[in-house]
Amino acid sequence: MKLRLALLSLTALSALTFAAQAEELKIGLASAQTGTLAFGDQPSLAGLQMAVDEINSAGGFGGKYKAVLDVKDTRSDTAATVQAAQELVASGINILITPCDADPSIAAGQISQPAKIVTFTFCGTTPTITSAVGDFMFGTYPADNAQATVLADYAQEKGYKSAYILKSPDSAYTLKLPEYFQQVFTKKGGTIAGEGTYSMGQQDFAAEVTKIKSLSPQPDVVMTSAYEPDFPAFIKQLRAAGVTAPVLGSDGIDTPTVAGLGDVVDGVVHSSAGLPSAGTPLDAFAKKFTEKTGKPFDTVYIANGYEIGLIIDAAVKAAGSLDPQGLRDAVANLKDVEGVTGKITYAGTDRMPSRDIALVEMKGGGRSLVKTVTPNPADVPAP
Amino acid sequence: MEFFIQQLVNAISLGGIYALLALGLAVVFSIVGLINFAHGELMTVAGYGLFFAIGVSLGLPLAIVLAIFGAVAMALVIERVAFRPMRRADVTGLLLTSFAVSVILRVLFQNGISARGMPVPMPSALAGSIDLGFAHIGVIPLLSIAATTVSLAALLLFLKHTVVGTAMRAAAQDFAVVRLMGIPANRVVAVAFAVSGVLAGVAAFLWVAQRGSVDPLMGFVPVLKAFIASIIGGLGGLAGAVAGGFVLGTLEVAFQAFLPASILPYRDAFVLGIVILILVLRPEGLIPAQTGKRS
């Protein structure tokens, strides 16, 4: 009798586990937890993990699916990203997340697109990521062309007439974002005082900086989308050479490394997905994050990762199932998802979401919000 | 004119850093025949030394001493742990060992410290420029020229006027004879690694002062440049390494300064093109190393 009961309960238990497994939402991450992209991928994962924990304990994604994360480190290597994506797709994931850069994201998307798996890039911002892969690929972070538009509008407002553009052909982000800026800036009457190029990881900007220094007249503003370690090297050498022109940057410098440079970055204005200023939802989120993890909220990539959790939750809710096509359509039709940085909309976009962009000024090792804007779609250059 | 002088200073300053790095490679290569690709990681160690020392506000001079000390300690450790057991291995074996050491150290930095970069705030006194009347010259380029000069002079004195230094110079030409003279091989090799650690530490300070941050992969680009510089100069020769460093630095700055914007993205191709040209004309490098061995 006892044995029977035991057997029966065992069967019941295994049936339960089976049911639970069938109801799982499997999120696979081919993510750069080490290497050059870790600056974006590490905090993004911390945010996503927090969203998954919260949504799971509140009943699951869409109210019924508990999510599990399967994280594979790509070491910021594109070939390793493809391999990780292949393993994850073979293991039967429902959603794939790829690193904070266009190249590995597009490469991984080539694997997940034919398998019809909804794929998000953690914080890749190149607007062509989605069209290069196909209809299952989504961005989350504000796209390069949108950021560039906001920066160019800001330059106009400040009365900057001439700009010096610094770009690097080594990645889409470092090349195209300044070019989008140039397009919008010149279209609205600005002129380009000069343009320079650098090799990523080079760190020696002395020759380039001397060229900027010798420009006469000096440019009203210097614009670049360089990020670390290049941006810290550039700004230090630029200021050391005595160039005082204001500098505009993009979201890649929204990191503690750049803020920690001290007064050399004072006055640098950059675009970002958001900034926790007192009383905003993002501020509340930042406090909650620190409370839960014990770690400082030192970059908005954390919030972006968290919002990917919210986007998936909203999509699963709308789709009502984990059917791949249904899930894809649900994401593509999302409208006004309440994120922590603002509302996120995919409907009517080419899968790079329309959302608020914050302009942020660095000062005294911290950051302050200049303003939050949604760029006018008519001004945003085509990708 | 001012533009030209500033670029000249840039070239000497960058060339100086490359010279220090190439010299670090050459000192070790001349004695054990090893191209130490973990040399870049010695710089990273020094970089983290700076980061931690400045983080606990030790003051810059002490931080620099600590950073150099860290690089020397790491150089001695990798010599003892990885390279001494491989002493009799051939060039390929040594090369692979140095790659392995380099990768292991990088992984240790990533997992033990952080995969993300850390800011190294330098005193604002280093951020300015000095007006020399005819040109504005940045403090950091001047500092790197000074540090390079002092390091080169110190190394020269060390090699010419100490017993170990003399033994090292002799070992570079014929290690077997040096050992027959009763000089302990282990000591000569360890001193060579320690010297390369000092050079890596000084170069790391100058490099970090320019870039303002330290990360686990920081050593890769500099060691690559040092490798190119020591090849141009003539692998294994100390004078050659210095010459190679300055040639490479000057080429990089000159092309960055004077190439028109439309072909500027191909700068590195131009620099490496000249490097190949130099090697075609002088296959042994600019100043070939003197050795008793036949190549």
Side-chain angles (χ1 to χ4, degrees):
Chain A
M1 183 64 199
K2 252 192 182 160
L3 184 73
R4 243 202 196 166
L5 198 72
L7 273 177
L8 199 71
S9 51
L10 214 83
T11 331
L13 203 72
S14 57
L16 259 175
T17 1
F18 181 73
Q21 264 171 3
E23 296 292 321
E24 261 175 9
L25 170 73
K26 290 190 201 133
I27 304 177
L29 292 96
S31 167
Q33 294 299 305
T34 54
T36 48
L37 298 174
F39 78 95
D41 272 42
Q42 270 196 356
S44 298
L45 176 59
L48 177 64
Q49 183 68 57
M50 181 167 155
V52 166
D53 292 345
E54 279 183 17
I55 296 169
N56 274 351
S57 59
F61 283 71
K64 49 184 176 180
Y65 301 102
K66 293 272 197 297
V68 283
L69 296 185
D70 186 355
V71 186
K72 289 196 191 297
D73 181 21
T74 67
R75 310 189 305 276
S76 304
D77 179 67
T78 301
T81 311
V82 171
Q83 197 186 354
Q86 258 158 353
E87 287 171 16
L88 288 166
V89 166
S91 76
I93 51 168
N94 304 102
I95 285 170
L96 177 68
I97 290 177
T98 62
C100 277
D101 188 29
D103 295 346
S105 291
I106 291 172
Q110 308 295 342
I111 311 290
S112 56
Q113 170 72 29
K116 293 193 177 298
I117 291 169
V118 172
T119 303
F120 293 95
T121 163
F122 245 154
C123 51
T125 53
T126 309
T128 47
I129 293 178
T130 53
S131 52
V133 173
D135 60 344
F136 277 79
M137 187 84 205
F138 294 89
T140 60
Y141 213 76
D144 291 346
N145 47 356
Q147 289 192 44
T149 308
V150 171
L151 287 166
D153 285 347
Y154 175 75
Q156 290 286 326
E157 278 166 37
K158 295 290 278 186
Y160 303 147
K161 297 271 180 290
S162 66
Y164 188 89
I165 311 280
L166 180 72
K167 55 191 182 180
S168 168
D170 294 351
S171 84
Y173 180 76
T174 51
L175 177 68
K176 296 295 283 183
L177 207 156
E179 288 184 353
Y180 291 132
F181 173 88
Q182 181 172 353
Q183 272 183 41
V184 182
F185 188 68
T186 49
K187 201 170 140 194
K188 295 193 171 179
T191 55
I192 299 302
E195 51 182 280
T197 1
Y198 66 98
S199 309
M200 285 169 78
Q202 179 75 56
Q203 294 154 38
D204 184 67
F205 285 93
E208 194 53 47
V209 159
T210 303
K211 271 160 76 178
I212 301 177
K213 170 84 179 157
S214 69
L215 288 176
S216 180
Q218 284 282 287
D220 295 332
V221 64
V222 175
M223 193 275 160
T224 182
S225 58
Y227 56 100
E228 62 194 54
D230 305 309
F231 184 82
F234 171 66
I235 190 85
K236 278 179 70 89
Q237 292 169 43
L238 185 73
R239 294 302 183 228
V243 177
T244 53
V247 172
L248 294 178
S250 53
D251 71 285
I253 56 174
D254 194 350
T255 63
T257 319
V258 175
L261 290 173
D263 51 13
V264 71
V265 288
D266 278 0
V268 171
V269 172
H270 68 84
S271 49
S272 168
L275 182 87
S277 51
T280 57
L282 187 54
D283 187 45
F285 170 77
K287 292 204 173 89
K288 191 172 71 173
F289 177 80
T290 306
E291 208 173 281
K292 280 202 174 167
T293 61
K295 288 180 190 135
F297 180 85
D298 51 13
T299 160
V300 76
Y301 293 124
I302 299 171
N304 181 58
Y306 183 82
E307 284 172 331
I308 293 180
L310 301 183
I311 292 167
I312 296 173
D313 184 34
V316 172
K317 201 172 283 169
S321 80
L322 298 181
D323 167 59
Q325 189 66 43
L327 205 54
R328 188 222 81 92
D329 294 345
V331 180
N333 290 314
L334 284 177
K335 218 171 169 181
D336 293 337
V337 176
E338 206 60 68
V340 286
T341 59
K343 289 189 168 67
I344 302 162
T345 295
Y346 282 98
T349 69
D350 52 357
R351 302 182 302 287
M352 285 305 277
S354 133
R355 56 189 290 174
D356 289 346
I357 294 172
L359 278 176
V360 173
E361 182 172 357
M362 287 197 260
K363 192 138 204 133
R367 290 182 164 88
S368 63
L369 187 67
V370 178
K371 61 176 176 173
T372 303
V373 263
T374 318
N376 179 2
D379 290 343
V380 177
Chain B
M1 186 61 192
E2 182 175 353
F3 180 76
F4 181 76
I5 291 171
Q6 278 169 342
Q7 295 293 20
L8 190 66
V9 170
N10 293 338
I12 298 173
S13 139
L14 183 65
I17 297 180
Y18 288 165
L20 287 180
L21 287 164
L23 207 50
L25 286 186
V27 163
V28 169
F29 182 85
S30 65
I31 292 174
V32 278
L34 154 78
I35 300 167
N36 183 14
F37 272 95
H39 195 69
E41 277 58 51
L42 299 180
M43 285 181 75
T44 316
V45 169
Y48 279 117
L50 280 175
F51 169 74
F52 287 117
I54 291 176
V56 295
S57 39
L58 276 184
L60 191 62
L62 205 56
I64 297 173
V65 172
L66 200 78
I68 295 176
F69 183 76
V72 171
M74 181 56 82
L76 291 175
V77 167
I78 59 177
E79 191 274 322
R80 185 70 193 84
V81 174
F83 296 123
R84 195 175 293 181
M86 297 292 288
R87 186 85 49 86
R88 306 225 169 270
D90 59 0
V91 177
T92 326
L94 285 170
L95 193 66
L96 289 178
T97 310
S98 84
F99 275 124
V101 171
S102 162
V103 171
I104 290 169
L105 287 177
R106 261 185 258 162
V107 171
L108 286 178
F109 298 142
Q110 290 197 338
N111 296 343
I113 302 173
S114 171
R116 292 161 70 184
M118 308 277 203
V120 183
M122 288 285 164
S124 47
L126 291 184
S129 60
I130 295 171
D131 188 358
L132 296 179
F134 51 91
H136 289 265
I137 305 296
V139 173
I140 289 183
L142 285 180
L143 198 66
S144 36
I145 293 172
T148 309
T149 316
V150 170
S151 306
L152 291 181
L155 183 65
L156 204 64
L157 288 177
F158 172 77
L159 289 176
K160 296 247 157 154
H161 297 286
T162 64
V163 176
V164 187
T166 314
M168 282 172 66
R169 280 190 298 139
Q173 296 196 8
D174 199 330
F175 206 173
V177 171
V178 174
R179 297 181 69 179
L180 288 174
M181 296 287 160
I183 305 277
N186 283 345
R187 191 189 301 164
V188 175
V189 173
V191 169
F193 271 90
V195 168
S196 85
V198 172
L199 293 169
V202 175
F205 161 65
L206 300 171
W207 198 252
V208 169
Q210 275 200 338
R211 84 203 289 265
S213 71
V214 49
D215 65 64
L217 309 180
M218 181 187 102
F220 178 71
V221 172
V223 81
L224 202 63
K225 304 283 186 186
F227 180 61
I228 297 173
S230 53
I231 298 279
I232 308 177
L235 199 53
L238 302 189
V242 174
F246 280 107
V247 168
L248 184 63
T250 308
L251 284 177
E252 286 193 357
V253 169
F255 280 118
Q256 183 76 36
F258 298 110
L259 277 184
S262 55
I263 50 171
L264 192 54
Y266 304 102
R267 184 194 73 155
D268 288 349
F270 280 94
V271 173
L272 294 175
I274 301 277
V275 168
I276 292 171
L277 199 66
I278 293 175
L279 291 178
V280 167
L281 297 176
R282 292 187 70 98
E284 297 285 311
L286 293 172
I287 308 175
Q290 301 173 325
T291 64
K293 294 167 238 162
R294 291 194 194 161
S295 53

Coordinates of all heavy atoms in Angstrom, one line a residue, chain B residues 238-275:
Chain B
L238 N 69.3 45.7 -28.8 CA 68.7 46.8 -27.9 C 68.6 48.1 -28.7 O 67.6 48.8 -28.7 CB 69.4 46.9 -26.6 CG 69.5 45.6 -25.8 CD1 70.1 45.9 -24.4 CD2 68.2 44.9 -25.7
A239 N 69.7 48.5 -29.3 CA 69.7 49.7 -30.1 C 68.7 49.7 -31.2 O 67.9 50.6 -31.5 CB 71.1 50.0 -30.7
G240 N 68.6 48.5 -31.8 CA 67.6 48.3 -32.9 C 66.2 48.5 -32.4 O 65.3 49.1 -33.0
A241 N 65.9 47.9 -31.2 CA 64.5 48.0 -30.6 C 64.2 49.5 -30.4 O 63.0 49.9 -30.8 CB 64.4 47.3 -29.3
V242 N 65.1 50.3 -29.9 CA 64.8 51.7 -29.7 C 64.6 52.4 -31.0 O 63.6 53.1 -31.2 CB 66.0 52.4 -28.9 CG1 65.8 53.9 -28.9 CG2 66.1 51.8 -27.6
A243 N 65.5 52.1 -32.0 CA 65.3 52.7 -33.3 C 64.0 52.3 -33.9 O 63.2 53.2 -34.5 CB 66.4 52.3 -34.2
G244 N 63.6 51.0 -33.8 CA 62.4 50.6 -34.4 C 61.2 51.3 -33.8 O 60.2 51.6 -34.4
G245 N 61.2 51.4 -32.4 CA 60.1 52.1 -31.7 C 59.9 53.5 -32.3 O 58.8 53.9 -32.6
F246 N 61.0 54.3 -32.4 CA 60.9 55.6 -32.9 C 60.4 55.7 -34.3 O 59.6 56.6 -34.7 CB 62.2 56.4 -32.7 CG 62.4 56.9 -31.2 CD1 63.3 56.3 -30.4 CD2 61.6 57.9 -30.7 CE1 63.4 56.7 -29.1 CE2 61.7 58.3 -29.4 CZ 62.6 57.7 -28.6
V247 N 60.9 54.8 -35.1 CA 60.5 54.8 -36.5 C 59.0 54.5 -36.6 O 58.3 55.2 -37.3 CB 61.3 53.7 -37.3 CG1 60.6 53.5 -38.7 CG2 62.7 54.1 -37.5
L248 N 58.5 53.5 -35.9 CA 57.1 53.2 -35.9 C 56.2 54.3 -35.4 O 55.2 54.7 -36.1 CB 56.8 51.9 -35.1 CG 55.4 51.4 -35.2 CD1 55.0 51.0 -36.6 CD2 55.2 50.2 -34.2
G249 N 56.6 54.9 -34.3 CA 55.9 56.0 -33.7 C 55.8 57.2 -34.7 O 54.8 57.8 -34.9
T250 N 57.0 57.5 -35.3 CA 57.0 58.6 -36.3 C 56.2 58.4 -37.5 O 55.4 59.2 -38.0 CB 58.5 58.9 -36.7 OG1 59.3 59.0 -35.5 CG2 58.6 60.1 -37.5
L251 N 56.2 57.1 -38.0 CA 55.4 56.8 -39.2 C 53.9 57.0 -38.8 O 53.2 57.6 -39.6 CB 55.6 55.3 -39.6 CG 56.9 55.0 -40.3 CD1 57.0 53.5 -40.6 CD2 57.0 55.7 -41.7
E252 N 53.5 56.5 -37.7 CA 52.1 56.5 -37.3 C 51.6 58.0 -37.2 O 50.6 58.3 -37.7 CB 51.8 55.8 -36.0 CG 51.9 54.3 -36.2 CD 51.3 53.5 -35.0 OE1 50.9 54.2 -34.0 OE2 51.3 52.3 -35.1
V253 N 52.4 58.8 -36.5 CA 52.0 60.2 -36.3 C 52.0 60.9 -37.7 O 51.1 61.7 -38.0 CB 52.9 60.9 -35.3 CG1 52.7 62.4 -35.3 CG2 52.6 60.3 -33.9
A254 N 53.1 60.7 -38.5 CA 53.2 61.4 -39.7 C 52.0 61.1 -40.7 O 51.5 62.0 -41.2 CB 54.5 61.0 -40.4
F255 N 51.7 59.8 -40.8 CA 50.6 59.5 -41.7 C 49.2 60.1 -41.1 O 48.4 60.5 -41.9 CB 50.5 58.0 -41.9 CG 51.4 57.5 -42.9 CD1 52.4 56.5 -42.5 CD2 51.4 57.9 -44.2 CE1 53.3 56.1 -43.5 CE2 52.3 57.4 -45.1 CZ 53.3 56.5 -44.8
Q256 N 49.1 60.0 -39.8 CA 47.8 60.5 -39.2 C 47.8 62.0 -39.4 O 46.7 62.6 -39.7 CB 47.8 60.2 -37.7 CG 46.5 60.7 -37.0 CD 45.4 59.8 -37.3 OE1 45.5 58.6 -37.4 NE2 44.2 60.3 -37.4
A257 N 48.9 62.7 -39.4 CA 48.9 64.1 -39.5 C 48.8 64.6 -40.9 O 48.1 65.6 -41.2 CB 50.2 64.7 -38.9
F258 N 49.4 63.9 -41.9 CA 49.5 64.5 -43.2 C 48.7 63.7 -44.3 O 48.6 64.2 -45.4 CB 51.0 64.6 -43.6 CG 51.7 65.5 -42.7 CD1 52.7 65.0 -41.8 CD2 51.5 66.9 -42.7 CE1 53.4 65.9 -41.0 CE2 52.1 67.7 -41.8 CZ 53.1 67.2 -41.0
L259 N 48.1 62.6 -44.0 CA 47.3 61.9 -45.1 C 46.0 62.7 -45.2 O 45.5 63.2 -44.3 CB 46.9 60.5 -44.6 CG 47.9 59.4 -44.9 CD1 47.3 58.0 -44.5 CD2 48.4 59.3 -46.3
P260 N 45.6 62.9 -46.5 CA 44.3 63.6 -46.7 C 43.2 62.8 -46.1 O 43.2 61.5 -46.0 CB 44.2 63.7 -48.2 CG 45.2 62.8 -48.8 CD 46.3 62.6 -47.7
A261 N 42.1 63.5 -45.7 CA 41.0 62.8 -45.0 C 40.4 61.6 -45.7 O 40.0 60.6 -45.1 CB 39.9 63.8 -44.7
S262 N 40.4 61.7 -47.1 CA 39.7 60.6 -47.8 C 40.5 59.3 -47.7 O 39.9 58.2 -47.8 CB 39.6 61.0 -49.3 OG 40.8 61.3 -49.8
I263 N 41.8 59.3 -47.6 CA 42.5 58.0 -47.5 C 43.0 57.8 -46.0 O 43.7 56.8 -45.8 CB 43.7 57.9 -48.5 CG1 44.6 59.2 -48.4 CG2 43.2 57.7 -49.9 CD1 45.8 59.0 -49.2
L264 N 42.7 58.7 -45.1 CA 43.1 58.5 -43.7 C 42.7 57.2 -43.1 O 43.5 56.6 -42.3 CB 42.6 59.7 -42.9 CG 43.1 59.8 -41.5 CD1 44.7 59.9 -41.5 CD2 42.6 61.0 -40.8
P265 N 41.5 56.6 -43.4 CA 41.2 55.3 -42.9 C 42.2 54.2 -43.2 O 42.2 53.2 -42.5 CB 39.8 55.0 -43.5 CG 39.2 56.3 -43.8 CD 40.4 57.2 -44.2
Y266 N 43.0 54.4 -44.2 CA 43.9 53.4 -44.6 C 45.3 53.6 -44.0 O 46.3 53.0 -44.4 CB 44.1 53.3 -46.1 CG 42.8 53.1 -46.8 CD1 42.1 54.1 -47.4 CD2 42.2 51.8 -46.8 CE1 40.8 53.9 -48.0 CE2 40.9 51.6 -47.4 CZ 40.3 52.7 -48.0 OH 39.1 52.5 -48.6
R267 N 45.3 54.5 -42.9 CA 46.6 54.8 -42.3 C 47.4 53.6 -42.0 O 48.6 53.5 -42.3 CB 46.3 55.7 -41.1 CG 47.6 56.1 -40.5 CD 47.4 56.7 -39.1 NE 47.2 55.6 -38.1 CZ 47.4 55.6 -36.8 NH1 47.9 56.7 -36.3 NH2 47.2 54.6 -36.0
D268 N 46.8 52.6 -41.3 CA 47.6 51.5 -40.8 C 48.2 50.7 -41.9 O 49.3 50.1 -41.8 CB 46.7 50.6 -39.9 CG 46.4 51.2 -38.6 OD1 47.1 52.3 -38.3 OD2 45.5 50.8 -37.8
A269 N 47.4 50.7 -43.1 CA 48.0 50.0 -44.2 C 49.2 50.7 -44.7 O 50.2 50.0 -45.1 CB 46.9 49.9 -45.3
F270 N 49.2 52.0 -44.7 CA 50.4 52.8 -45.2 C 51.6 52.5 -44.2 O 52.7 52.2 -44.7 CB 50.1 54.3 -45.2 CG 49.4 54.7 -46.4 CD1 48.0 54.8 -46.4 CD2 50.1 55.0 -47.6 CE1 47.3 55.2 -47.6 CE2 49.4 55.4 -48.7 CZ 48.0 55.5 -48.7
V271 N 51.3 52.5 -42.9 CA 52.4 52.3 -41.9 C 53.0 50.9 -42.1 O 54.2 50.8 -42.3 CB 51.8 52.4 -40.5 CG1 52.9 52.0 -39.5 CG2 51.4 53.9 -40.2
L272 N 52.1 49.9 -42.3 CA 52.6 48.5 -42.4 C 53.3 48.3 -43.7 O 54.2 47.6 -43.9 CB 51.5 47.5 -42.2 CG 50.9 47.5 -40.7 CD1 49.7 46.6 -40.6 CD2 52.0 47.1 -39.7
G273 N 52.8 49.1 -44.8 CA 53.4 49.0 -46.1 C 54.9 49.5 -46.0 O 55.8 48.8 -46.5
I274 N 55.1 50.6 -45.2 CA 56.5 51.1 -45.1 C 57.3 50.0 -44.3 O 58.5 49.8 -44.6 CB 56.5 52.4 -44.3 CG1 55.7 53.4 -45.1 CG2 57.9 52.9 -44.1 CD1 56.4 54.2 -46.2
V275 N 56.7 49.4 -43.3 CA 57.4 48.4 -42.5 C 57.8 47.3 -43.4 O 59.0 46.8 -43.3 CB 56.4 47.8 -41.4 CG1 57.0 46.6 -40.7 CG2 56.2 48.9 -40.3

